[in-house]
Amino acid sequence: MDFKKFSNLIMIEQTLFALPFAYIGVLFANGKDLSTWILVTIALVAARTAGMSFNRVIDAEIDARNPRTKERLIPKGEVKKVGVWMIGILSSLSLVVSSYLLNSLCFYLSFAAVFLLFTYSYFKRFSSSSHFYLGFVEAAAPIGGYIAVTGSFSFVPFILGAAILLWIAGLDIVYALQDVEFDRKEGLYSFPSAYGGKKALATSGICYVLSFAAMIGAGIITGKSMPYWTAIGCVAFIFIYQQKIARSRDIGVALRKFFKANIYVSPLLLFGTLIDVLL
């Protein structure tokens, strides 16, 4: 498998999008050791690669029947399932090893992380709460980043985790609007297919509000200064914009604008937190 196919398979841009989640956790814990930053990067990349690989294999048959996803590599026969399974397994081992090198708590939690990464794809087959399960998986990044520095549990990383969980859940609910008819036909339990578009959008909006509240709470508890609050203010405008365009009639066009705006959220949070720490 060449790099272009590998990048397409695991959607490498989403890994770059998720890295700031872990880095924010490291910054909130005042992590300064270079080796910690390197190992956290390896762990996050390994986790994302494992999760995407498992998802692509487990959902291959469903993807082949969905007009939106039938051009993915496995349905098209451009890569073999066994190869993708191997990538997922090796990435999971990389996650465990890098976690072991960080500290014992990270090592123990890495097995739970692998379990979450593997089981996410099955969740939508029996529960419309799969969006929140995805958010829970993503929330492991800032929590893991924080624990990588401290080696112990604390209240702060779980507030950060809640912010990510609710944001990603709200985002994924909107994303699922484009597959409502397909999900109903296939018996998949997305929130929009189970409760309809209006309730889905309302729930997404509530998730965004609660996510923003958690970001504020994390800033207050840790005594963040102007750079962080400026970043939070920018995130608020993006959140409002996203929720507004999500209610457009043309969901295809709306989603393109929605996700184009979304790519700025995690870098803004990272930059604001980094400047705050440096000052």
Side-chain angles (χ1 to χ4, degrees), residues 9-11 14 47-57 84:
L9 177 74
I10 68 166
M11 298 181 72
Q14 289 197 12
R48 288 291 308 177
T49 302
M52 290 302 298
S53 299
F54 292 146
N55 177 262
R56 290 297 183 255
V57 174
V84 181

Side-chain angles (χ1 to χ4, degrees), residues 64-223:
R65 294 192 295 271
N66 188 339
R68 184 177 62 81
T69 58
K70 66 181 182 180
E71 296 299 314
R72 287 177 176 171
L73 294 177
I74 296 179
K76 287 180 67 177
E78 294 189 21
V79 297
K80 301 295 184 182
K81 285 186 178 181
V82 64
V84 181
W85 274 121
M86 288 303 300
I87 292 173
I89 292 169
L90 291 174
S91 296
S92 297
L93 289 173
S94 297
L95 169 60
V96 172
V97 171
S98 57
S99 298
Y100 174 80
L101 294 173
L102 283 164
N103 56 61
S104 58
L105 182 55
C106 282
F107 174 63
Y108 298 139
L109 291 175
S110 68
F111 296 99
V114 172
F115 175 79
L116 292 173
L117 292 166
F118 181 77
T119 55
Y120 158 68
S121 295
Y122 291 105
F123 218 75
K124 63 185 177 184
R125 289 163 167 79
F126 59 85
S127 174
S128 58
S129 64
S130 59
H131 313 284
F132 294 92
Y133 196 77
L134 174 62
F136 185 61
V137 174
E138 297 286 356
I143 295 172
Y146 193 99
I147 293 175
V149 177
T150 64
S152 61
F153 287 116
S154 174
F155 185 56
V156 172
F158 288 97
I159 300 178
L160 294 172
I164 301 302
L165 187 161
L166 291 161
W167 169 34
I168 296 299
L171 182 154
D172 198 54
I173 287 172
V174 173
Y175 182 73
L177 287 170
Q178 62 189 322
D179 287 331
V180 170
E181 295 305 320
F182 177 81
D183 288 344
R184 287 172 178 168
K185 179 182 176 182
E186 292 290 322
L188 299 174
Y189 294 90
S190 71
F191 201 94
S193 67
Y195 298 103
K198 289 185 178 180
K199 288 184 179 179
L201 287 170
T203 303
S204 175
I206 292 170
C207 286
Y208 267 51
V209 170
L210 294 176
S211 173
F212 188 70
M215 294 177 192
I216 293 174
I220 292 174
I221 291 172
T222 56

